[in-house]
Amino acid sequence: MTTRPTLSPSAPRPASGLLRSKVPDITAYFWIIKLLTTGMGEAASDFLAHRLGPLPAVALSGLGLALALTAQLRARQYQAWLYWSAVVMVSVFGTLAADAAHVGFGLPYGVSSLGFSLVLAVIFAVWQRREGTLSIHSIVTRRREVFYWLTVLTTFALGTAAGDLTAKTLNLGWWASGLLFAALMAAPALRLGLPGRRRLPPVLGFWWAYILTRPVGASFADWLAVTPGQGGLGFGAGHVALGLSVLIAVLVGFLALTRRDVAK
């Protein structure tokens, strides 16, 4: 179990709002489920887009996202099923949004990756300016929770575009793209390339890893789903989405029962 850092003395204290944190403690379970949701969202969005068509898929996933986030925002404390249901729907909708920017509007993956990066930078800048902290452990007011979920949604869209950029535009393929982003994700933890081998600040390190989980999971999910002719294993998007959904449900059910992701 990780220790929750205290807020910076300079960070504004919430005067009112949520009484308890609405996010899980950052443990190994968090990162495992997060990676699984990224892959599941990628596979599920591909499956829905092919079966229903892009517009119905976006509408359906948007409705699911609205319902999941409404339930999450109305809750007074962290509940594993509510939180991870919202993350799953963000994953599906964020993927479809990134794909719509490319397919529907013809934006190159490089342009959409840059665009989502700028949106994410703006959200971080406003969040930091208004709240004085970007720590995930400070999500104890409604406004901070809104900033958090806007950030989560943007990271999923950005990761989808970045993964497609390396796999398709740069022709690295899904497997190589997954390995590339996994190495980038692990770099801060291994202290690679940092002057004096210093560690990144915890908040920066968290968001670095969080952003990169998306292209890692999505790249490997695509590798599992696409045909061998496309450089994959050919299991199909539907089967990959179903398999990952079962794994997510088992792990979230375990956490709901044991509450191992709730700080004591």
Side-chain angles (χ1 to χ4, degrees), residues 12 23 36 57 70 74 92 95 102-103 106 108 124 126 135 147 150 152 171 188 191 194 196 208 214 219 227 246:
V23 298
L36 291 175
T70 298
R74 288 173 63 88
V92 176
T95 302
H102 176 73
V103 177
F124 275 140
V126 175
S135 173
F147 276 126
L150 285 175
V152 171
N171 295 317
R191 297 181 293 174
L194 297 177
W208 172 273
R214 174 56 182 174
S219 295
T227 63
V246 171

Side-chain angles (χ1 to χ4, degrees), residues 118-140:
L118 293 175
V119 172
L120 183 61
V122 170
I123 294 173
F124 275 140
V126 175
W127 184 359
Q128 176 66 35
R129 182 176 180 84
R130 295 295 298 271
E131 302 299 327
T133 177
L134 300 177
S135 173
I136 191 175
H137 301 303
S138 70
I139 312 300
V140 292

Side-chain angles (χ1 to χ4, degrees), residues 60-200:
L60 180 62
S61 65
L63 176 61
L65 174 61
L67 293 175
L69 280 182
T70 298
Q72 169 67 17
L73 291 171
R74 288 173 63 88
R76 297 297 297 176
Q77 62 185 9
Y78 168 70
Q79 297 179 41
W81 284 111
L82 288 181
Y83 175 85
W84 288 111
S85 293
V87 172
V88 164
M89 292 313 305
V90 166
S91 178
V92 176
F93 181 80
T95 302
L96 286 167
D99 289 340
H102 176 73
V103 177
F105 299 99
L107 291 178
Y109 290 122
V111 174
S112 57
S113 296
L114 177 59
F116 288 126
S117 296
L118 293 175
V119 172
L120 183 61
V122 170
I123 294 173
F124 275 140
V126 175
W127 184 359
Q128 176 66 35
R129 182 176 180 84
R130 295 295 298 271
E131 302 299 327
T133 177
L134 300 177
S135 173
I136 191 175
H137 301 303
S138 70
I139 312 300
V140 292
T141 67
R142 181 76 69 200
R143 188 165 67 184
R144 290 182 182 182
E145 192 176 13
V146 171
F147 276 126
Y148 173 75
W149 286 107
L150 285 175
T151 302
V152 171
L153 178 59
T154 307
T155 62
F156 273 95
L158 169 59
T160 298
D164 287 338
L165 172 66
T166 58
K168 295 180 179 179
T169 304
L170 301 182
N171 295 317
L172 293 183
W174 305 114
W175 174 255
S177 292
L179 292 179
L180 171 63
F181 287 112
L184 291 173
M185 178 181 170
L190 298 175
R191 297 181 293 174
L192 297 177
L194 297 177
R197 297 176 63 81
R198 293 175 296 179
R199 292 184 182 275
L200 288 177

